[in-house]
Amino acid sequence: MSQGAPQVEDRSLFGEGRYPDTGPLAVLARLAFLGALLAIVVTVFLPRSMVPQFVRSHYLEHFAAFYVAALFALAAMPRTRLRRIGVSVVTFAVLLEATHLLSGAQIWPLVDNWVADMGGLAAAFAPVVVERFRRRFPRRTRGAV
């Protein structure tokens, strides 16, 4: 055993070291994720007249809601496999859209809403998946061909 200097944990926000589970950003990510889920659920069950319209397209609102929820899910659960997070968000979207069927809604508009939800999910996951793919290739050293 060597008696070197003690290992110092990198607690900076954007460093390469380990970030603590109880760090302020980790806690904020979990709260933001729960807040996004709650906002989506409340919006689904409120009458349309009480829901503020943020953009002109209903489908863009679905896209944006699930984009934000998926980003917060990725931040809130850094050790959870991407596939599990994705399946959980897809299941959440399916269940929410299915609740409209209970009130007698037509299925095809719900499918369109769900497709918009999945677009937001895909847009949030794409950069993460591409970055993981890129990490699989070793960096070339200077001077190497």
Side-chain angles (χ1 to χ4, degrees), residues 44-46 95-107 110:
V44 164
F45 292 109
L46 279 178
L95 291 174
L96 278 179
E97 296 303 339
T99 61
H100 291 293
L101 293 174
L102 299 175
S103 65
Q106 298 291 321
I107 193 164
L110 298 179

Side-chain angles (χ1 to χ4, degrees), residues 27-138:
V27 172
L28 183 62
R30 291 183 203 108
L31 290 173
F33 174 57
L34 292 175
L37 292 181
L38 183 63
I40 290 171
V41 169
V42 166
T43 303
V44 164
F45 292 109
L46 279 178
R48 275 215 190 237
S49 61
M50 294 184 66
V51 178
Q53 189 172 3
F54 294 104
V55 292
R56 288 182 180 236
S57 170
H58 173 71
Y59 301 117
L60 280 177
E61 288 178 340
H62 277 259
F63 180 94
F66 277 85
Y67 176 76
V68 169
L71 282 179
F72 288 153
L74 290 168
M77 298 177 272
R79 291 187 191 93
T80 305
R81 292 184 164 289
L82 290 180
R83 185 174 297 135
R84 184 176 181 140
I85 296 172
V87 167
S88 298
V89 175
V90 167
T91 303
F92 176 70
V94 167
L95 291 174
L96 278 179
E97 296 303 339
T99 61
H100 291 293
L101 293 174
L102 299 175
S103 65
Q106 298 291 321
I107 193 164
W108 291 114
L110 298 179
V111 169
D112 291 342
N113 290 345
W114 183 78
V115 168
D117 298 344
M118 295 305 97
L121 174 74
F125 272 65
V128 176
V129 172
V130 169
E131 175 56 26
R132 287 188 176 192
F133 173 73
R134 289 175 49 88
R135 270 194 245 145
R136 298 190 68 173
F137 294 90

Side-chain angles (χ1 to χ4, degrees), residues 8-20:
V8 177
E9 189 174 308
D10 180 9
R11 296 179 68 88
S12 65
L13 296 181
F14 302 107
E16 292 294 321
R18 206 170 121 57
Y19 192 77

